[in-house]
Amino acid sequence: MGFFSTLGEIFTILKHVFSQVFERPFTVLYPYEDREHPERTRGRHIHIREKCTACAQCVRACPVVAIRIDKSDRKYEKDAALYFDYTRCIFCGLCVQACRFNALFHTKVVDLSEPERERLHYDPERIETLDRDPLEWRGSRFR
Ligand code: SF4
Ligand code: SF4
């Protein structure tokens, strides 16, 4: 390898390094900051009970038995309570696809880690709401 080709390579590397200095960083200061997740992100679910008809199609569609339905627990005329087990869920989205009544959705909340495994069993009340602002929750937990 000649002197000039080595010099050329060094120049190319330096050019790349200096161009990156003025670029925005690819990383964010997680957990204090978060990226905007894509529209079709399959994060934790939210159950809209007013729209639920207790048809249990979501339960049947789940390949890992992560959803349990309690039809005796009613808040509205036809709904049912859903329990989600996030120790089993693989976020495949089949339950959301199976719901013909627009009663079940994915949210963009993807960081579900908990200090205790039991906290990954979401009861109906928790699955009906976004129970925490993810940024606020992470901030208080990691600071
Ligand atoms: S996303 Fe998939 S694995 Fe998770 S509860 Fe729905 S069907 Fe089951
Ligand atoms: S969430 Fe949807 S699919 Fe599941 S029981 Fe309710 S209406 Fe049926």
Side-chain angles (χ1 to χ4, degrees), residues 109-125:
V109 178
V110 293
D111 44 357
L112 302 184
S113 57
E114 295 285 357
E116 292 103 28
R117 197 176 161 83
E118 292 68 40
R119 292 261 316 149
L120 290 168
H121 295 265
Y122 279 46
D123 61 21
E125 202 176 310

Side-chain angles (χ1 to χ4, degrees), residues 2-143:
F3 172 75
F4 287 108
S5 79
T6 309
L7 201 63
E9 277 172 23
I10 291 172
F11 180 74
T12 308
I13 292 167
L14 286 177
K15 198 171 103 185
H16 182 67
V17 168
F18 283 116
S19 73
Q20 292 302 306
V21 169
F22 301 103
E23 291 282 323
R24 279 186 57 216
F26 289 108
T27 52
V28 293
L29 203 61
Y30 185 87
Y32 305 112
E33 294 171 31
D34 204 355
R35 285 192 189 287
E36 180 58 34
H37 295 288
E39 221 33 66
R40 296 176 70 182
T41 299
R42 294 201 295 261
R44 62 147 284 198
H45 302 77
I46 191 154
H47 182 209
I48 316 292
R49 263 180 97 152
E50 298 97 298
K51 295 189 174 180
C52 182
T53 59
C55 66
Q57 288 301 327
C58 51
V59 178
R60 284 187 207 105
C62 181
V64 292
V65 198
I67 314 173
R68 184 165 67 79
I69 189 165
D70 180 359
K71 293 187 181 183
S72 67
D73 181 349
R74 258 196 195 157
K75 262 193 184 177
Y76 301 92
E77 205 183 330
K78 301 185 212 162
D79 68 314
L82 293 183
Y83 293 76
F84 276 73
D85 181 352
Y86 284 113
T87 65
R88 301 183 74 99
C89 178
I90 52 171
F91 299 93
C92 64
L94 290 176
C95 54
V96 174
Q97 276 180 33
C99 181
R100 294 189 294 129
F101 301 96
N102 291 332
L104 195 60
F105 294 97
H106 284 287
T107 67
K108 293 182 186 178
V109 178
V110 293
D111 44 357
L112 302 184
S113 57
E114 295 285 357
E116 292 103 28
R117 197 176 161 83
E118 292 68 40
R119 292 261 316 149
L120 290 168
H121 295 265
Y122 279 46
D123 61 21
E125 202 176 310
R126 209 167 160 207
I127 209 73
E128 282 164 45
T129 49
L130 277 174
D131 57 351
R132 63 189 179 210
D133 175 324
L135 271 182
E136 195 182 295
W137 168 78
R138 277 190 240 127
S140 63
R141 192 161 148 192
F142 287 94
R143 243 169 237 151

